[in-house]
Amino acid sequence: MNRRLKIRRIVTVVVTLLLCVVPAVAGPPPAGPMSSSPALSLTGGASSSVPWGIVLLLTLLTLLPAVLLCMTPFVRLLVVFHFLRQALGTQSTPTNQTLIGLALVLTFFLMQPVGVAVQHNAVQPYREGKIGIMEALDRGSEPVRQFMLKYVRQKDAALFVELAKTPQPRSANDLPMRVVVPAYILSELKAGFQIGAVLFLPFLVIDMVVASITTSIGMLQLPPVLISTPLKLLLFVMVDGWNLLVGSLMRSFA
């Protein structure tokens, strides 16, 4: 019984707080005969759209980072960096935070021209009141769309055109965003895995050579990883691996 009473009290307090907060967020009721009925401001009218607008805005802000990261080179960069760490045999060096930070910095470097175009074509005219928000969204999405179209494979685009059951476009510029975005993600994943596979090959050769040598001379008690990992790190440092890798990744987006 005590537990039920506590639950009822908690529910009562929560409902009371909601009844107090929602009218405050919605704003004062409109003047006139409608203001005498407080229930109308909670169940209908323009004031009820304000809390739902806030909920929708918070939901979009939650999903925005994931959407933006999937529409930028971040996916390819992060996949390649994780493949490199696995190939070197270092389990947690560099750390995930370091790799994500490096990928974010390089993504900002690559997307800066696109951001300048969005600022010039959409954000600045919208701030000056020359265009509406829908036209600003259309103008702002066009530079991002053109950037993604440069790296979308025709096979991936054809797959999502078929799945979306849309008419066959005359050119790539006629593809809608609902086709371009998933096709771009698949193309970037494939490119990242291709680069990661190429990175694995020289380090895999070192692992195989070290394993065969240690086995042939009877060093069965010493794991080959203890010998191959320093050799791989030494090779990577001697050839200035980070400079070569980042330079190649940047040139792949040129």
Side-chain angles (χ1 to χ4, degrees), residues 21-218:
V21 171
V22 172
V25 175
M34 297 294 292
S35 62
S36 61
S37 179
L40 292 176
S41 63
L42 297 177
T43 58
S47 60
S48 62
S49 63
V50 177
W52 289 109
I54 295 175
V55 172
L56 180 61
L57 178 61
L58 294 176
T59 304
L60 292 177
L61 289 177
T62 303
L63 298 176
L64 187 61
V67 174
L68 291 180
L69 293 179
C70 291
M71 297 167 62
T72 59
F74 181 82
V75 175
R76 183 192 302 190
L77 297 173
L78 192 61
V79 168
V80 171
F81 291 153
H82 277 284
F83 267 110
L84 174 64
R85 188 173 65 180
Q86 294 295 326
L88 288 174
T90 56
Q91 299 299 324
S92 59
T93 304
T95 61
N96 290 331
Q97 291 82 357
T98 304
L99 296 180
I100 292 174
L102 179 59
L104 284 175
V105 171
L106 297 179
T107 301
F108 175 78
F109 179 83
L110 292 170
M111 294 298 293
Q112 187 176 8
V114 180
V116 171
V118 172
Q119 171 72 20
H120 179 73
N121 297 335
V123 178
Q124 187 174 354
Y126 175 73
R127 288 181 176 179
E128 295 175 355
K130 297 180 180 179
I131 59 176
I133 185 169
M134 296 306 298
E135 186 177 356
L137 290 176
D138 292 338
R139 290 189 181 184
S141 62
E142 187 61 26
V144 181
R145 182 170 169 272
Q146 292 298 326
F147 174 83
M148 290 189 292
L149 284 175
K150 294 180 182 179
Y151 310 104
V152 171
R153 296 191 309 158
Q154 184 178 1
K155 184 177 181 180
D156 296 329
L159 171 64
F160 285 99
V161 167
E162 180 183 356
L163 294 176
K165 297 181 180 179
T166 59
Q168 291 293 332
R170 292 175 294 180
S171 63
N173 293 326
D174 297 330
L175 291 173
M177 286 292 287
R178 65 189 293 250
V179 172
V180 175
V181 174
Y184 173 77
I185 296 173
L186 285 187
S187 301
E188 288 296 285
L189 286 175
K190 179 178 176 59
F193 273 75
Q194 286 178 338
I195 299 173
V198 174
L199 283 175
F200 250 106
L201 291 178
F203 300 111
L204 180 61
V205 171
I206 295 177
D207 287 332
M208 294 177 62
V209 170
V210 171
S212 62
I213 292 176
T214 54
T215 304
S216 62
I217 62 178

